Amino acid sequence: MSELLDLVVAERHQEATDVVSLILRRPDGAPLPGWEPGAHIDLVLDEGLERQYSLCGGDASSWRIAVLRETDGRGGSAHVHRELEVGRRVRARGPRNHFRLEPATSYRFVAGGIGITPILPMLAAAGTRGRLFYGGRSLRSMAFATELAALHPAGRVHLHEGLLDLTTQLADLRPGELVYACGPESLLAAVEALVPPDALRTERFTPVAAPVGGDEAFEVELARSGRTLTVPAGRSVLATLQDAGIEVLYSCTEGTCGTCETDVVAGAVDHRDSVLTPQEQACNETMMVCVSRAAKGGRLTLDL
Ligand code: FES
């Protein structure tokens, strides 16, 4: 069970029209758990209000996140903008990483709006092997635009007001090159239409559309306790585990954060998450119990 860390907002900066960045530290300044580009943390903002934010900077004793104020959001970003002033305490869990920078000969990064946050440390880690195409409504709305322009040569960072010209920007991918994309669903769908799945890594803020209807009840065996539970149609594995008093860490409950990832001992999974790559889903080693189910007519054994 991942430990909850008590943190304090050490700094707060306005990074764009509706984006603030926060520097979080432990109150005593002690080191924080290490992380790699692509990692995110869960911020526990209030009772029942928990959100995931990519780490976009920091050092051994600090984490930097950036949060877009979403006018039609579900309350998390508004809470951060309203409440998390310098000096305020906040609890966090993690880091966790489902968007790792895998070895490649070169990288093309595509970011839309606040999707720049996980990409920022990736670009730094990729060094001269990485190029960034970053789009937003206007330069004023694009967080870290000035920082990016100052840190990287113009040939490596391309900032665009309005829609990215992906057909041109993703043309002539080289053998061994990987594309990393993060941003709104429309942008990710456009990238997915242009880049073969084995050369593409994406991170989603919203879940991919899950299949509607057709759910069947199935059995889940819990390898460690030897118990067997029946997951009813229309009820998730996570909810069934909770009903049985079995504690599983979770956060988003919609298959986007990776918190509820559980090892699969046996059985074929009908993966419905937006976290695992197609290759990881095919491996069938883990599943997100908040959304994924047993493949039709099957039964699962989980490492619980
Ligand atoms: S709780 Fe977020 S993926 Fe399951």
Side-chain angles (χ1 to χ4, degrees):
M1 194 66 56
S2 178
E3 177 196 5
L4 263 183
L5 303 169
D6 281 309
L7 303 177
V8 63
V9 180
E11 295 176 35
R12 172 174 166 137
H13 303 279
Q14 195 74 38
E15 301 289 354
T17 320
D18 284 318
V19 180
V20 291
S21 69
L22 304 179
I23 304 284
L24 305 173
R25 298 182 189 279
R26 294 191 199 261
D28 63 0
L32 287 166
W35 60 281
E36 292 178 354
H40 69 264
I41 57 172
D42 303 329
L43 274 195
V44 182
L45 298 167
D46 215 342
E47 201 55 47
L49 190 62
E50 200 168 313
R51 292 290 182 271
Q52 289 72 45
Y53 296 105
S54 296
L55 290 173
C56 59
D59 54 29
S61 59
S62 71
W63 287 338
R64 177 169 73 161
I65 60 169
V67 180
L68 168 70
R69 190 205 317 263
E70 293 179 78
T71 40
D72 53 357
R74 293 172 300 152
S77 69
H79 181 101
V80 169
H81 277 252
R82 189 179 63 245
E83 304 288 338
L84 294 190
E85 297 291 347
V86 172
R88 290 296 295 268
R89 297 292 183 100
V90 63
R91 287 179 302 157
R93 193 188 296 113
R96 197 174 308 107
N97 199 343
H98 288 284
F99 195 42
R100 286 179 198 287
L101 196 60
E102 297 172 22
T105 52
S106 55
Y107 302 92
R108 236 169 271 200
F109 299 107
V110 178
I114 197 63
I116 189 63
T117 51
I119 300 291
L120 205 59
M122 286 185 170
L123 182 68
T128 54
R129 288 175 300 148
R131 273 195 292 162
L132 167 69
F133 299 94
Y134 174 21
R137 276 195 322 278
S138 67
L139 276 179
R140 278 161 34 98
S141 74
M142 293 167 66
F144 307 117
T146 311
E147 182 177 318
L148 281 163
L151 282 177
H152 302 286
R156 285 184 52 211
V157 169
H158 305 264
L159 305 179
H160 295 263
E161 292 183 302
L163 290 179
L164 291 166
D165 177 13
L166 292 171
T167 310
T168 305
Q169 289 149 355
L170 294 176
D172 62 33
L173 288 180
R174 283 168 258 165
E177 184 167 22
L178 284 178
V179 176
Y180 278 75
C182 185
E185 194 53 40
S186 54
L187 175 80
L188 297 183
V191 174
E192 283 170 340
L194 292 165
V195 180
D198 58 351
L200 178 62
R201 305 289 180 269
T202 56
E203 182 163 76
R204 294 188 133 79
F205 304 137
T206 49
V208 285
V212 177
D215 283 358
E216 286 179 1
F218 60 96
E219 285 191 337
V220 172
E221 183 181 334
L222 310 182
R224 288 191 233 167
S225 66
R227 291 175 70 182
T228 298
L229 306 174
T230 299
V231 180
R235 192 140 181 85
S236 68
V237 177
L238 175 65
T240 307
L241 293 168
Q242 290 172 320
D243 293 345
I246 295 153
E247 214 176 325
V248 177
L249 204 59
Y250 70 98
S251 181
C252 71
T253 69
E254 57 183 21
T256 56
C257 75
T259 308
C260 69
E261 184 171 15
T262 301
D263 288 341
V264 177
V265 178
V269 181
D270 172 8
H271 290 282
R272 299 180 177 191
D273 64 276
S274 315
V275 178
L276 299 174
T277 62
Q279 296 89 332
E280 288 169 331
Q281 292 186 342
C283 283
N284 214 48
E285 289 173 354
T286 68
M287 69 182 283
M288 304 303 152
V289 292
C290 63
V291 289
S292 296
R293 306 180 68 79
K296 202 169 171 55
R299 182 180 203 271
L300 294 173
T301 306
L302 301 180
D303 186 21
L304 290 172

